[in-house]
Amino acid sequence: MKLSKKNIIMAVIVASVFTSQTSAETVSDEQLARRLAIAGITLQQHNEHSAAIAYFERAQREVDHPKLSYFQGKSLDALNKPEQALRVFRKIEDAEENKKYALETRAYIRAIEAERKVKQLMIELVTVKNACTAKKSPNKVPWLLLRP
């Protein structure tokens, strides 16, 4: 990560999450996971998705919760990692603790699957086009023009 003004500001925001309590106080796993998640969401809102994922993964090590996976999936999708995002979203799709984000989770799944299908169809279309172009002779009418 390069040290741009934006990155320095993000570091200050993230650091503020962890310094809100004195060192004499103990922090439970849930509290730490919550702080890490808040930091990850803050980074996510500033399009710092790689850093956000690191925070969500760290929070998951403290408390395994579907909401953390949901936010991680969003960042994976934003980073154009659809297969990884799809695995995460499918894992939490029907989780009881993910009720709040269930509709959005299913929407992400449908959108990623639709993008995958479009890519497959585009490959098939190019393959057919190339096959037709290779076999095309000057005396024949292209098959697309024959359709009603």
Side-chain angles (χ1 to χ4, degrees):
M1 184 187 310
K2 57 186 173 183
L3 288 177
S4 67
K5 183 177 178 181
K6 181 180 176 183
N7 289 339
I8 293 169
I9 292 169
M10 289 290 83
V12 170
I13 290 170
V14 171
S16 69
V17 171
F18 298 103
T19 58
S20 63
Q21 210 170 2
T22 65
S23 59
E25 296 175 326
T26 59
V27 178
S28 71
D29 292 347
E30 291 81 14
Q31 290 171 323
L32 179 57
R34 183 175 187 79
R35 289 179 181 187
L36 290 163
I38 290 169
I41 292 167
T42 302
L43 289 164
Q44 190 177 64
Q45 291 169 341
H46 289 85
N47 293 321
E48 296 290 337
H49 295 285
S50 294
I53 289 170
Y55 277 91
F56 298 137
E57 288 174 346
R58 177 64 179 90
Q60 285 276 29
R61 288 196 297 270
E62 295 301 320
V63 176
D64 188 19
H65 198 282
K67 287 181 185 177
L68 294 169
S69 295
Y70 167 77
F71 288 110
Q72 181 182 11
K74 284 180 60 174
S75 281
L76 287 165
D77 186 56
L79 290 171
N80 198 25
K81 296 181 178 184
E83 296 307 315
Q84 289 174 283
L86 190 58
R87 279 193 300 277
V88 169
F89 287 131
R90 282 186 175 149
K91 184 177 94 173
I92 62 166
E93 181 178 10
D94 297 318
E96 182 66 29
E97 300 90 353
N98 190 45
K99 254 186 186 173
K100 180 178 178 181
Y101 301 107
L103 291 176
E104 291 144 353
T105 299
R106 288 186 187 97
Y108 270 107
I109 290 170
R110 285 192 301 274
I112 293 168
E113 289 174 339
E115 287 175 14
R116 180 195 289 166
K117 187 65 176 171
V118 166
K119 286 178 185 175
Q120 289 170 344
L121 291 172
M122 290 302 293
I123 291 168
E124 291 175 24
L125 180 63
V126 168
T127 302
V128 169
K129 180 183 174 192
N130 290 341
C132 290
T133 304
K135 294 180 183 180
K136 191 173 166 182
S137 71
N139 297 335
K140 294 188 179 179
V141 177
W143 65 276
L144 288 175
L145 297 178
L146 299 175
R147 294 180 65 188

